[in-house]
Amino acid sequence: MIKNTPTICSFCSNGCGMFVRSRGGEAIGVIPLTGHPVGEGRLCHRGWNRYQNLRSVNRIDRPRIRDGSGFKEVSWEKALQKTADRIRGLLDRYGPESIGVIGSPWLTNEDNFRLSRFCIHVLSSKNLDGSFRFAGASALTALGSAFSYPFGSLGTIPRLKECPSILVVGGDSHRDFSPVGSRIIQAFLRGSKVVLADATVARKEHFYAAHLPYTLQQLPIALAEKSDILDDVQQCLSHKGLGLVFVADQVHPASSLISLLGLLSRLSNLEDSFPEILPLSRAPNLRGAWDMEIRPDEEGLNLHEMLERDDGIKGILIFADDLLTHLPSEPLVERLKSLEFVLVADRFNTETCRIAHCVLPLPLLAESEGTMTNCEGRVQKLRSALPPPAETRSVQKILSDLSQKVGSPLPDHVDFEVRKEMSRCVPGYQQVSDESALDSLPGVLLPGEKQLSAGAVFPESASSSSKSETFTFVAIDTLYGWNRNQMILESPVLAIEYPLDPMTLCISAADARALKLRMGETVTVRSKEGEVRLPVQPNEDVPVGMILLASHWKDVLDRLAGKGSVDTLTGSVYYPALSVTVEKI
Amino acid sequence: MNQYVLLKTDLNRWVEMARKKYRVYAPERVQEDIFFAPLLGPPESEFLTGLAVLPYLPPKDLVFPQSEILFSYSREGEKIALTVPDQETEASVLLGIRSCDTVGISWMDKFFRENFNDTYYGRRRDNLITVTIACNRPIKNCFCVCCEGGPFLDPGKNSFDLQLIDMNDRYLVECNSDQGETLINLDPALFSAPPPDMEAMRNRLEEEARSMFLPEPTSYMGTAIRRITADSVPSEVWTELGERCFDDGGCTFVCPCCSCFGVGYLAHGSGGCHYRFWDSCDYSGFTREVSGHNPRGEKGERFKRRFFHKLSYQYVKKDGRIGCVGCGRCITACPGEVGMPTVVETIRRSDTGDSSKE
């Protein structure tokens, strides 16, 4: 007998409604929930094939602890006692500032809330952060700064189709997030003007009225210098009810988004109706983890600082994140490996599990209850579609047991009790204790606060615009890239759909012809900082004069760009576009 | 073909008789969506009227599931054990399937049974008797009338077991197979001979149903078939249509005539299984070669290939009909708003620039 469980997809920040279909506790299929406001009966290929990763054989079977160079499986009691002893040891020897806790956009709001409380009240540590420090934090910091925190819901996906004009920053925003792409096409069919801003593509799809070949950093400056932009594009962007869509994971630095928001507000001369804004993410609960305060306060260390500073932390507790895959630099990876104690609680056997001292198995999101907050600021309930394997334990149980063993017990609250607490303490989340609203298909939309605050700044003049010597080198942000996402890798169909990025430079076919370069031939790329030699991959979609490389090839980037630039608002490191020369070897 | 009359007041009694001998699948509502599920009591009558209410998924998943284990293996020392899972081979009745979906199952029969006999499909299909309900009134996305997929099945042309035609307080029951007759024989007393004017009434209802379809984009199938067959659709048209495709595969999964599948492997310790799953020609990995080369790397090329398979005369000749039954589910499932009617209409309006090819 097939069981159809209505729940929420957990691939990305859109949170589409779906039925997970199962038989005898085994996932056998997925179909969309037609009445759900985000997907309205449609799914992307990740959603349609989600059932495949729900039966992965690469799950963590049992708790295990490091034993020499390998691991040994142990009982939960032993694993938790060992973890508690190590935590206690670090606290006694170095103090609470020696421990860091990593929450996750792949955990529910309730679990992130528990983690935050565990870090602050049990460990008395202020070192709390997530891997989104490297992708996503800049966008959320910018929105918090431009609209004042909590900014709640800044727009909804269904309303996007009614926007008279839409600015899409980065083509991935429509291609990779089909509910958003769907509304962009619907808006186009209704006569709306859709403008694409993307420096890395040579041609636009037919539904875009205009293409602005700029990165997010260059865009506010280009828009401010009216000579660069056609009048009708300016007019499009000054429409009341503009829609603004971007991938939060690709926003670097925060100030670029703040500038863009400031500029759009000035263009449209708006006082009370700001655009529908959708900060998309390839992680399902980026908004929720951020809102549950999985981030350090002013005294705490962010993830980058935790790992970069030698006098920083000695032990780290990582929940539901493959940090080793997501850390953008080799020195950070080495530093993580050298810590005295690493706890990993996760679902799959990831790279990070291999360097842990203790590994604890968690249930999948499809085996869990709880809520997540999507890119619209919509809080939605997950329903357990499958029974969790016997050897997994929820974050609630793990933290409750650990806190007891460490000596400062946390109240063992179930999800709805945590939601009551969240409604009292998390800014903007007052309505999440309304269980009947949460049980409805639309869930709870956080109240929106769309008044541009004094934090929004207008862009400086064009002085910082880089003029290319020969080529512009752009690192495509791949931190939460689908081809490194564990849920994708555990699904045979999806793993084929997302082949790994080769360490090759993408160059336009025209440039390749001019330089007499064929596929796979090596070039020397020189910047002011240094040079690299890499093979090229000519591509018709790459603009002339542009060289593209996936950003996770950090060593290459370091050689070309030195240490990159630091986003002063978030502490994350990013690589602005570089001027380089290219020479065939 | 035999005809009978079944009073609606007798339907539940007949279904109850059937439930004693068969697993009876019928449409059932879960939240706002409709699924075919085994009946545990009387069927929901709203799904057994002439109004075309379609579940999101066609019932093709009862014979060709979204994923199924082909065989599992385990190894102990030198001993290797292979197991083919027990299928749901219980004799089943599919009550309330619509005309378009019944034609879809016939299409599947051709694919899975004609050139080779797929045992997994065959075992399920052999045990399935269909009771179609004809559509007196189409709904928003229906265009079966353009695809010979309905609204009524034609006993002379279509292969089916039983067809119920809604005539207010009764059904005209058309029986087109021996299997259908076995269902009638569960309680022959419930079925009476139709009065002489019933055939005329049936034909009038069918004409009325056909007249309710909007002429708009759906009636241009012929032009699209000609242009696709002659390869006279400009490549820019395919590129634009492809740009609106999100490679989600939704249209293929909900299509009663899409039968592509992939095979996956799960291995854990000394055991594992091979399973198959619905695959989609929308996906770039569908045709990518091991070398990395993809003969249909562009979305527009994949889109063209999909509609060539659905509509070209080459396939009509091979399969006996176009690969579309006009259920309209691709419209519901497509995030890019490029379901079959839009594609057909776009092709019809496209300037081929070379009429000699047609």
Side-chain angles (χ1 to χ4, degrees), chain A residues 115-132:
Chain A
L115 260 184
S116 161
R117 291 297 174 273
F118 178 81
C119 182
I120 294 162
H121 299 306
V122 177
L123 305 178
S124 304
S125 169
K126 292 179 169 126
N127 307 326
L128 177 63
D129 208 359
S131 58
F132 40 76

Side-chain angles (χ1 to χ4, degrees), chain A residues 71-191:
Chain A
F71 285 96
K72 68 174 177 194
E73 291 189 344
V74 294
S75 67
W76 267 99
E77 174 59 26
K78 193 163 181 186
L80 289 172
Q81 191 58 53
K82 178 109 181 161
T83 302
D85 292 347
R86 298 296 294 270
I87 291 174
R88 196 69 266 165
L90 291 171
L91 289 173
D92 292 345
R93 204 167 343 143
Y94 307 109
E97 62 280 9
S98 67
I99 301 184
V101 174
I102 306 303
S104 168
W106 285 275
L107 282 182
T108 61
N109 290 331
E110 291 77 359
D111 284 346
N112 276 312
F113 186 85
R114 290 182 179 106
L115 260 184
S116 161
R117 291 297 174 273
F118 178 81
C119 182
I120 294 162
H121 299 306
V122 177
L123 305 178
S124 304
S125 169
K126 292 179 169 126
N127 307 326
L128 177 63
D129 208 359
S131 58
F132 40 76
R133 178 61 43 195
F134 302 102
S138 295
L140 298 180
T141 303
L143 292 173
S145 158
F147 292 103
S148 76
Y149 193 80
F151 45 84
S153 174
L154 295 174
T156 70
I157 291 175
R159 278 208 302 266
L160 196 62
K161 66 173 178 286
E162 287 150 24
C163 293
S165 55
I166 303 174
L167 174 59
V168 179
V169 181
D172 286 352
S173 309
H174 103 260
R175 282 190 294 268
D176 237 12
F177 300 87
S178 70
V180 171
S182 175
R183 292 346 190 277
I184 288 173
I185 286 170
Q186 286 168 13
F188 159 76
L189 293 173
R190 293 162 71 124

